[in-house]
Amino acid sequence: MTRSFEKVGVVGLGTMGAGIAEVFARAGLAVVGVEADPDALERGRGHLEASTGRAVAKGRLSEAEQAEILGRVTLTTSLEDLADADLVVEAIPEVMDFKRSLFTDLDRICKPSAVLATNTSSLSVTGIAATTTRPGQVVGMHFFNPAPIMKLVEVIHTVVTEDGLADEIAALARRLGKTPVSVGDRAGFVVNRLLLTYLNHAAVLLENGLATRDGIDAAMRLGVGLPMGPFALLDLIGLDTSYEVMCVLFQESRDRRHAPAPILRELVTAGLLGRKSGGGFYDGDEPASSRADGKPSVSSVAVLGEGADEFAARLADAGFKPGYADDADVVVALSHTPVIELAAQLPHPSRLVGLHLVGDKVAEVASTVLTSPDATRAVEGLVRIVGRTPVLCKDRAEFVVDALLYPYLNDAVRMYDSGYAGIEDIDAAMRLGCGYPAGPFEMLDALGLETVRDGLRALYAEYRDPAFAPAPLLDQLVTAGVRSIRDLP
Ligand SMILES: NC(=O)c1ccc[n+]([C@@H]2O[C@H](COP(=O)([O-])OP(=O)(O)OC[C@H]3O[C@@H](n4cnc5c(N)ncnc54)[C@H](O)[C@@H]3O)[C@@H](O)[C@H]2O)c1
């Protein structure tokens, strides 16, 4: 049986629900929007009018079209008005008890053929479905914020979802102008599972003192081309929400990497929830922009390692004398980890600084336990002179960018290998759900499977976290000489 979805209910018209109601109305469907009480209903109406009003102001919608869209939406505080809806999408707060109680009511009120969907970000769709007498007709329809703009919808089916229903919901998402990605019911689905794990990892590295907040943010933004650094993004998502999602992920996986970073709990307890509370990782301040320091007070620089000639030539152009490792004022070791192994072989280990060039904008500046603050400052200045942003960090495996990026890519490979989601779906989810320039498998291909595998081995050797051990599939692909995971038969 192919269902027709013409009348849709949306319960909860807050941040997400109002946007979801707008999306359905824009696609020509009749929408019944339900709120908890008259005040909340007026706020919901305000969200709808403001959002469509902005589109009119930007010339993306005419006033007549706006009136038509708003005319398709009926607002009410009575769930009974959903009796003849073909589909109801729930967008009330992320609290299991609230959702279960609502679905019990919807199951009683809605016609037997109606499909019930939840917009939950992290809760078990199966657990919600189980409270109804129609678990086969309950799915997840996970929109992204802001719903009218973000193209991705994760469509979640459970083990008891009726055959074909997820496909019908995916077709509906396409009718709304969205790109659906179909997945099973695992905490966090694709986007939050991969994204929040990476953000949490960044918070752990910050706590460990690997680098500063601004350094890590700059490294990921300028070095990888992500739209925001992890701490700016955590503040935007909300630290309380992020903490809750991590708790749900951990509860399901018991994976140490999913355990929320203690700093998240501390900030949340202090009421520092991110942008919405006026403070979080950033206290209303902006990331410090790179300062144009004066010329470093060193005259001779020795450069060692891969790509040394090119870097030394740039420094020579800027007036620095090439030096030898035994007499130079500072010694720069390019891409040599751990840097300390080299330091132990030099006559002046305090002058040695590690350097890792990331893309064409960033250079990670790694100090060892023996490096003097003067040497670090000098290399920071040299990096600026060659036109890159320096990111100061400790001498740890893979420094900052790769230490964050490789485990995220590894997680994506494991996710694919577990049969949870396809390569194209995972790539599309991360591109469309996070605004990333490329999906994880596209990034893997660009970096090279072997480079990432070797980086993961180094991370595992350093931190001994099983999650950093290369996914067996990644290892096998490298051993087999396969260049791209897409080349698999
Ligand atoms: N905010 C996001 O970025 C985002 C993104 C994707 C998914 N989600 C998910 O969407 C859901 C809603 O999140 P939100 O950010 O829109 O929350 P919100 O707090 O902005 O809105 C929730 C709305 O539900 C209303 N409500 C509460 N109980 C109700 C009831 N019994 N009946 C009718 N209305 C009720 C509230 O009055 C409020 O307006 C959550 O499950 C959340 O995890 C949120």
Side-chain angles (χ1 to χ4, degrees):
M1 178 186 89
T2 304
R3 292 180 174 79
S4 84
F5 298 108
E6 296 309 327
K7 184 167 184 178
V8 172
V10 178
V11 185
L13 299 172
T15 310
M16 291 307 296
I20 294 169
E22 180 182 333
V23 168
F24 281 116
R26 276 175 179 254
L29 284 86
V31 180
V32 180
V34 186
E35 255 297 349
D37 57 56
D39 286 349
L41 193 67
E42 280 319 299
R43 278 200 302 276
R45 190 192 305 280
H47 288 319
L48 274 165
E49 287 173 357
S51 169
T52 50
R54 279 194 296 275
V56 172
K58 286 183 183 159
R60 296 198 184 126
L61 212 59
S62 70
E63 280 186 15
E65 285 166 331
Q66 181 194 21
E68 226 175 280
I69 290 169
L70 295 177
R72 291 193 195 106
V73 184
T74 312
L75 296 176
T76 173
T77 54
S78 170
L79 281 179
E80 310 291 328
D81 292 337
L82 299 174
D84 62 346
D86 304 310
L87 165 74
V88 177
V89 180
E90 163 276 317
I92 67 170
E94 189 78 340
V95 178
M96 193 52 152
D97 286 349
F98 295 179
K99 306 236 187 218
R100 282 171 168 265
S101 148
L102 174 65
F103 272 74
T104 308
D105 290 342
L106 290 174
D107 189 35
R108 177 177 45 79
I109 292 164
C110 295
K111 63 186 180 188
S113 63
V115 172
L116 307 180
T118 171
N119 185 50
T120 180
S121 307
S122 61
L123 300 174
S124 160
V125 179
T126 314
I128 294 171
T131 58
T132 71
T133 59
R134 60 180 98 191
Q137 286 160 238
V138 177
V139 291
M141 216 177 167
H142 186 219
F143 288 83
F144 287 74
N145 187 15
I149 292 172
M150 298 297 280
K151 289 278 174 232
L152 181 67
V153 177
E154 288 175 320
V155 176
I156 299 107
H157 58 270
T158 72
V159 285
V160 291
T161 305
E162 280 173 12
D163 280 351
L165 179 56
D167 290 343
E168 289 179 45
I169 296 294
L172 172 65
R174 279 188 210 98
R175 184 175 153 199
L176 303 175
K178 303 294 182 193
T179 303
V181 162
S182 225
V183 292
D185 187 20
R186 279 196 203 165
F189 315 127
V190 173
V191 173
N192 284 336
R193 197 177 183 93
L194 291 178
L195 177 70
L196 266 302
T197 306
Y198 144 70
L199 296 179
N200 192 52
H201 185 194
V204 170
L205 294 184
L206 179 69
E207 287 213 80
N208 291 348
L210 177 72
T212 63
R213 171 199 73 176
D214 292 355
I216 296 174
D217 267 2
M220 297 312 284
R221 207 162 35 79
L222 303 174
V224 187
L226 304 185
M228 291 178 125
F231 302 111
L233 184 53
L234 278 165
D235 275 359
L236 180 69
I237 293 171
L239 304 191
D240 49 345
T241 307
S242 304
Y243 179 80
E244 290 302 331
V245 174
M246 290 318 299
C247 287
V248 174
L249 281 175
F250 181 75
Q251 205 175 358
E252 185 192 272
S253 71
R254 303 287 160 179
D255 177 346
R256 207 174 79 190
R257 246 158 72 72
H258 291 152
I263 192 173
L264 283 177
R265 193 228 349 107
E266 189 179 358
L267 289 168
V268 170
T269 310
L272 298 168
L273 309 181
R275 279 201 196 172
K276 61 184 164 192
S277 73
F281 282 101
Y282 289 92
D283 189 13
D285 58 330
E286 290 300 313
S289 59
S290 64
R291 294 159 291 114
D293 276 354
K295 201 169 170 180
S297 55
V298 288
S299 55
S300 63
V301 182
V303 187
L304 316 171
E306 210 178 301
D309 291 349
E310 196 186 330
F311 195 75
R314 297 285 305 272
L315 294 180
D317 289 347
F320 294 94
K321 278 198 310 231
Y324 294 97
D326 53 1
D327 66 355
D329 296 331
V330 282
V331 182
V332 175
L334 275 162
S335 302
H336 189 290
T337 56
V339 185
I340 193 66
E341 280 180 7
L342 186 59
Q345 302 165 26
L346 297 181
H348 308 290
S350 63
R351 298 181 192 171
L352 179 70
V353 179
L355 198 69
H356 180 226
L357 307 181
V358 185
D360 51 12
K361 295 200 179 80
V362 168
E364 293 165 329
V365 178
S367 308
T368 73
V369 282
L370 301 178
T371 305
S372 74
D374 284 350
T376 304
R377 253 192 311 277
V379 175
E380 189 183 0
L382 295 176
V383 164
R384 287 211 176 89
I385 284 173
V386 301
R388 288 173 178 264
T389 299
V391 172
L392 304 190
C393 63
K394 288 189 188 175
D395 177 26
R396 294 289 180 274
E398 303 305 314
F399 304 136
V400 177
V401 169
D402 294 346
L404 281 172
L405 196 58
Y406 291 175
Y408 154 73
L409 301 178
N410 204 30
D411 287 345
V413 174
R414 286 183 199 275
M415 181 180 270
Y416 163 70
D417 198 27
S418 71
Y420 181 61
I423 292 171
E424 305 304 332
D425 276 354
I426 295 173
D427 270 354
M430 297 313 287
R431 259 191 281 104
L432 301 175
C434 306
Y436 280 7
F441 295 103
E442 291 161 331
M443 287 188 183
L444 258 176
D445 284 357
L447 292 163
L449 302 186
E450 191 166 359
T451 303
V452 176
R453 193 272 313 260
D454 292 348
L456 285 162
R457 283 184 172 172
L459 282 167
Y460 179 67
E462 179 96 305
Y463 295 101
R464 307 293 164 114
D465 185 330
F468 298 157
L473 175 62
L474 182 58
D475 231 356
Q476 284 166 15
L477 291 171
V478 175
T479 308
V482 176
R483 299 177 75 99
S484 167
I485 198 164
R486 280 169 230 275
D487 294 340
L488 285 178

